[in-house]
């Protein structure tokens, strides 16, 4: 079992004919992902060979969905085209759109988010500026390395791509149901709370790792949700305890205002909700290891 991305997911790649899209399409195929085509406006009707797997190129997401039955799109397009690509995916009502692109202007992300809301939230948008989703042994959509960990019963949601990989590696002896990188920009389509709710409802996820970082109040809001709604054990880590005061660090969303958004404030909120919080990624992994070993 996995959340949102499963072995049955049919994936298309917006920007598949570009350098990044092509590279990661090849990698996703090697991981066993069911990639069924790509989208590049003006190149419809062409095809691309990926080491023996030939994939069709379509002019639009809607055309690709009609022809292939795709229900997931991974977006690898330059920042200036990203808003149009996201809106196109939303207009086609594809169930899941994973936006890998980094550097999308906040105004564009906000406009795309508002368009999705106005369209009835038919598309789950993950990202932007995220590593994607990996359900080990089932499917891998994005840039998360496929060989870090086997399938297991831990769910992971993270703002940080790098820390996603580290926790997956440190807990590889237990494995993961799904790892979700939500991205660290100020405006994102899927939040910690969305993933926490999905993992809480997933019968094959036993425990959850939540990785946050300084800036904003997403982790405090997640803590309130955990306290009210999550019965499974949650282990947390907040990146940025050693960040110099007054400096903007990491993702565009890592902005601190006074005491709000500090690592310590987030840690206290999570601990008040019953979450065990590690001081380092390795300590966080050890806390989860102890939980899994006691089950």
């Amino acid at each position: 079992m996995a959340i949102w991305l499963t072995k049955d997911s049919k994936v298309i790649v917006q920007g598949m004919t570009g350098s990044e899209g092509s590279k990661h399409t090849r990698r996703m195929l090697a991981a066993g992902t069911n990639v069924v085509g790509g989208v590049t406006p003006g190149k419809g009707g062409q095809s691309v060979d990926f080491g023996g797997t030939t994939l069709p190129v379509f002019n639009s997401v809607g055309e690709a969905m009609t022809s292939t039955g795709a229900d997931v799109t991974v977006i690898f397009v330059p920042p200036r085209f990203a808003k149009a690509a996201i809106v196109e995916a939303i207009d086609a009502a594809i169930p899941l759109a994973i936006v890998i692109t980094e550097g999308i202007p906040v105004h564009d992300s906000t406009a795309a988010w508002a368009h999705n809301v106005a369209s009835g939230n038919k598309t789950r948008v993950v990202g932007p500026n995220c590593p994607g989703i990996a359900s080990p042994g089932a499917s891998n959509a994005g840039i998360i390395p496929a060989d870090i960990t086997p399938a297991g019963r831990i769910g992971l949601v993270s703002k940080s791509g790098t820390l996603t990989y580290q926790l997956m590696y440190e807990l590889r002896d237990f494995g993961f149901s799904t790892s979700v990188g939500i991205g660290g920009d100020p405006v994102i389509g899927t939040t910690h709370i969305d993933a926490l709710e999905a993992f809480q409802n997933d019968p094959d996820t036993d425990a959850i790792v939540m990785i946050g970082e300084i800036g904003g109040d997403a982790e405090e809001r997640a803590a309130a949700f955990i306290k009210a709604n999550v019965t499974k054990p949650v282990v947390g880590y907040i990146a940025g305890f050693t960040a110099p005061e007054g400096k903007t660090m990491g993702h565009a969303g890592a902005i601190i205002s006074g005491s709000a958004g500090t690592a310590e404030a987030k840690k206290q909120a999570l601990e008040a909700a019953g979450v065990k919080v590690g001081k380092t990624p390795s300590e966080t992994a050890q806390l989860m290891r102890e939980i899994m070993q006691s089950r």
Side-chain angles (χ1 to χ4, degrees):
M1 187 77 174
I3 68 166
W4 302 334
L5 185 75
T6 73
K7 62 180 179 60
D8 297 320
S9 297
K10 294 182 178 180
V11 179
I12 56 173
V13 179
Q14 288 175 259
M16 187 180 76
T17 58
S19 61
E20 289 299 307
S22 175
K23 176 174 69 176
H24 289 291
T25 297
R26 188 179 302 275
R27 190 193 56 77
M28 287 188 282
L29 285 167
T33 305
N34 186 19
V35 183
V36 295
V39 175
T40 301
K43 294 188 177 181
Q46 298 182 19
S47 61
V48 182
D49 179 73
F50 294 95
T53 299
T54 301
L55 296 179
V57 181
F58 301 94
N59 285 317
S60 70
V61 173
E63 181 184 331
M65 291 174 66
T66 299
S67 297
T68 67
D71 52 10
V72 179
T73 181
V74 187
I75 299 176
F76 286 100
V77 302
R80 66 185 182 276
F81 303 125
K83 174 185 170 183
I86 300 168
V87 167
E88 180 185 334
I90 292 167
D91 286 344
I94 195 165
L96 177 61
I98 300 170
V99 188
I100 306 300
T101 307
E102 182 178 5
I104 300 174
V106 175
H107 181 274
D108 286 359
S109 296
T110 303
W113 175 83
H115 183 72
N116 198 29
V117 172
S119 300
N121 277 318
K122 296 175 183 176
T123 298
R124 171 168 297 285
V125 178
V126 176
N129 188 17
C130 79
I133 302 178
S135 295
S139 190
N140 184 306
I143 62 174
I144 298 174
D147 57 355
I148 302 177
T149 182
R153 301 185 66 86
I154 300 173
L156 186 150
V157 55
S158 174
K159 280 186 176 180
S160 166
T162 304
L163 291 174
T164 296
Y165 313 152
Q166 181 171 352
L167 267 296
M168 289 173 69
Y169 178 76
E170 296 215 26
L171 291 167
R172 64 195 182 280
D173 290 345
F174 297 96
F176 287 78
S177 54
T178 302
S179 295
V180 183
I182 59 175
D185 281 3
V187 177
I188 54 176
T190 291
T191 66
H192 285 113
I193 291 173
D194 295 325
L196 288 164
E197 181 178 32
F199 283 131
Q200 170 67 20
N201 294 330
D202 176 22
D204 291 328
T205 296
D206 291 340
I208 306 164
V209 178
M210 184 187 119
I211 302 173
E213 61 185 16
I214 57 173
D217 66 348
E219 292 78 5
E220 286 91 341
R221 286 185 282 112
F225 180 84
I226 291 168
K227 188 172 184 178
N229 300 284
V230 179
T231 59
K232 296 178 180 180
V234 181
V235 169
Y237 174 68
I238 305 298
F241 270 99
T242 60
E245 187 175 351
K247 296 283 188 179
T248 299
M249 306 292 290
H251 292 129
I255 300 172
I256 296 174
S257 176
S259 61
T262 64
E264 185 59 36
K266 293 175 185 292
K267 177 176 181 289
Q268 290 177 9
L270 286 168
E271 288 179 337
V275 177
K276 295 183 177 181
V277 182
K279 296 178 182 177
T280 66
S282 293
E283 182 178 307
T284 305
Q286 179 57 31
L287 290 170
M288 178 55 73
R289 195 173 291 114
E290 292 169 1
I291 288 171
M292 297 302 290
Q293 288 172 340
S294 68
R295 299 188 71 83

